[in-house]
Amino acid sequence: MNVQWYPGHMTKAKRQMQEDLKLIDLIIELVDARVPLSSRNPDIDQLGQNKSRLILLNKADLADERQNEAWKEYFQSKGFHVVKVDSRNGAGMKTIQNVIQEACKEKIERDRRRGIKNRPIRAMVAGIPNVGKSTFINTFAGKACAKTGNRPGVTKGKQWIRLNKNVELLDTPGILWPKFEDQEVGIRLAFVGSIKDDILNMEELALKLIDYLKARYTGLLEKRYGISEAGNAVEILGGIAKARGCLKKGEELDYTKASGLLFDDFRGGKIGRITLEWAEQEKN
Ligand code: G4P
């Protein structure tokens, strides 16, 4: 988690993805439902040509339900199969089984025409760090699923998790790299905690988050902290510091502490279900 990316990391991740893609029929791509575009790497579209595609809007429990629906439609309109999930509590897992069959319909039909029977669909999970890949694999595969052994010659060194007689999942997820070239992407990934906090200016980030919440989710900060949203972002952060007793020696407000508290609350879903990128703005 919270990997810092350098060109070397990217090349290695890409090479590994290319190798693993040779083994599979379906890519189960996880995105963070709060930042569905910033948590995606569109290179996957090129890498995954000719594969069946399923996008999971993960952490849907933390995101705005209206936006979850809007993003579902958005990705469906681009030709993806989409399921909203909460990998921590298992919501959405049952639906995935059916959607996998639907997404791989052509392959199943192709196999049937060639007289190949009962060849399971092979899938891999992919996504940028911290989107919930490991959590998803654990929840989806569950403890009941036996791991199949290596298959000499074909899948050397690879472990497959047999989900049922129709589907096998590669047990190591494909790691995609975030699109750091776009500064806004970096900021949104920082908001949701997918970039190491210690390299960021948390106060500056907190002010940006406050501006966003005030504009798009008016009233939530007021409700959470019992403060007024009337002032500017610095005043609101000050209000949070006061309300939560974040003080330095001499009664001076501790903005750093208040920023940390704001992010803990936001990332934990305590302020409300919030989406940081709205689908309506992306329709084209
Ligand atoms: P990765 O393999 O893609 O790097 O992600 P990982 O599964 O490690 O998940 C990253 C964090 O996201 C974990 O929290 C995990 O619990 C949380 N998470 C994953 N899926 C969901 C989801 O659908 N909803 C919510 N609310 N959270 C989710 P953590 O704080 O790093 O660890 P932990 O304290 O939960 O163990």
Side-chain angles (χ1 to χ4, degrees), residues 124 247 269 278:
M124 79 180 283
L247 299 172
W278 282 18

Side-chain angles (χ1 to χ4, degrees), residues 1-2 30 34 57-62 85-91 93 127-138 173 175 267-268:
M1 202 190 93
N2 286 341
L30 265 74
R34 296 167 297 174
L57 292 171
N58 193 39
K59 308 195 187 187
D61 55 307
L62 297 173
V85 292
D86 171 354
S87 293
R88 275 220 290 226
N89 80 359
M93 299 295 147
I128 67 166
N130 206 42
V131 282
K133 297 178 295 298
S134 319
T135 312
F136 169 74
I137 292 175
N138 284 335
I175 300 181
R267 291 169 187 165

